Amino acid sequence: MSPRRARRRESSRPFGFPTGLDKVEEWPDGSWKVRMLTGSSSTKNYRCPGCDQEIRSGTPHIVAWPAWPGGDEERRHWHQACWRKRLDRGPGRSRY
């Protein structure tokens, strides 16, 4: 008897459809579009604006940008903990 083969489900998404889902979060500093990235989808190293440390490729993290028109150019990659704690940072540091 041969082993059963796992069947893959056909995806209902069209080809090229983004896999990350953007959501809008309301914070005291405004509305932000936030996308969670899995480790497998990140292929480059980024610098987290919250802690100024490197986010290595393959590490799950967050991409966030302001939810106003033209805010896409302000997109930044954050560690998940740094994104949650960004409002606690002291004066003199940018919040994004």
Side-chain angles (χ1 to χ4, degrees), residues 81-92:
C82 294
W83 173 251
R84 288 190 307 269
K85 302 293 273 174
R86 77 185 189 288
L87 296 178
D88 297 339
R89 296 189 345 218

Side-chain angles (χ1 to χ4, degrees), residues 18-59:
T19 57
L21 297 175
D22 301 342
K23 63 180 180 176
V24 176
E25 293 184 3
E26 297 292 332
W27 287 80
D29 61 346
S31 298
W32 296 85
K33 290 184 182 177
V34 178
R35 179 182 300 159
M36 301 283 291
L37 294 180
T38 63
S40 62
S41 66
S42 60
T43 58
K44 291 174 35 179
N45 292 342
Y46 298 98
R47 176 95 29 205
C48 175
C51 64
D52 202 32
Q53 298 296 313
E54 191 174 72
I55 302 172
R56 297 198 179 264
S57 64
T59 304

Side-chain angles (χ1 to χ4, degrees), residues 69-84:
D72 294 347
E73 292 145 14
E74 301 293 325
R75 190 170 48 217
R76 300 289 183 264
H77 295 254
W78 294 76
H79 291 110
Q80 293 174 6
C82 294
W83 173 251
R84 288 190 307 269

